[in-house]
Amino acid sequence: MLNILNCFFRSPWYWLTMIVAGVAMEGVALYYQYVLNYGPCVLCIHVRIWVLAFILLGVLGLLCHNSRPLSILISLLTVVAAVGLTERSWMTFAIERNLIEGSCTMGTGLPDWFALDRWLPAIFEPWELCGWTPELMFGITMAEALLVTSALAVIGTLLATLALYKKH
């Protein structure tokens, strides 16, 4: 089983899976925003940015999968993205469940050199204040699903990095 996982993490399929998962997550977010009219909050926008990082890293990983040093570097960056995604997911979940005192403003807090909210407002502009997320299915909220997904991403990216680092 470990050999199968090791082969998968070293293959282009790993990076392609990351791209497809990221695009699917962005698609679900945009479906909830534009079809079901659930506007994103600032934390949701931050989550979208981390997911975009996964997509871009997946593309880079796919292009550089034959270079072990580049694959390891890109894989380490995916761990960073997974940790960032987990932190934003935790904040979203914790605010939703009143585990922490907090709310957010309508500003994304992005610097001028990375103003995605102005460059691509259809995707990265917040519409709502933080506090709740819509139910996806079976009573599971988007914040709960994000928290589980991001935790799995941390585990998966760590395993992939270890598999890439380990010699054949």
Side-chain angles (χ1 to χ4, degrees):
M1 178 67 179
L2 289 176
N3 284 338
I4 293 171
L5 275 176
N6 198 6
C7 288
F8 173 73
F9 288 139
R10 291 172 185 259
S11 75
W13 290 105
Y14 168 68
W15 301 107
L16 190 58
T17 301
M18 186 179 301
I19 295 165
V20 169
V23 168
M25 288 177 71
E26 296 287 8
V28 168
L30 292 172
Y31 174 79
Y32 270 79
Q33 180 176 350
Y34 288 106
V35 176
L36 300 179
N37 204 30
Y38 289 108
C41 69
V42 170
L43 292 173
C44 298
I45 297 302
H46 292 172
V47 165
R48 288 182 187 185
I49 293 169
W50 284 115
V51 172
L52 177 62
F54 268 107
I55 295 168
L56 295 176
L57 289 167
V59 169
L60 282 174
L62 191 60
L63 294 173
C64 301
H65 79 275
N66 287 327
S67 168
R68 186 169 178 256
L70 284 177
S71 290
I72 291 171
L73 175 64
I74 295 165
S75 192
L76 285 170
L77 291 173
T78 63
V79 173
V80 172
V83 170
L85 177 64
T86 302
E87 187 275 334
R88 291 287 87 183
S89 298
W90 164 252
M91 289 297 292
T92 305
F93 175 79
I95 288 173
E96 178 179 83
R97 294 298 174 94
N98 294 318
L99 299 174
I100 60 173
E101 269 305 307
S103 65
C104 54
T105 64
M106 293 299 286
T108 59
L110 297 174
D112 286 337
W113 58 267
F114 193 65
L116 290 175
D117 55 329
R118 287 189 306 231
W119 301 338
L120 297 166
I123 300 172
F124 298 109
E125 182 180 52
W127 289 7
E128 311 279 339
L129 293 174
C130 301
W132 69 277
T133 59
E135 183 179 312
L136 295 175
M137 61 179 68
F138 309 117
I140 299 169
T141 67
M142 194 172 283
E144 293 166 339
L146 280 171
L147 193 56
V148 171
T149 302
S150 63
L152 292 173
V154 169
I155 293 166
T157 57
L158 281 171
L159 288 174
T161 303
L162 290 172
L164 290 168
Y165 187 73
K166 183 181 167 190
K167 296 247 187 223
H168 287 285

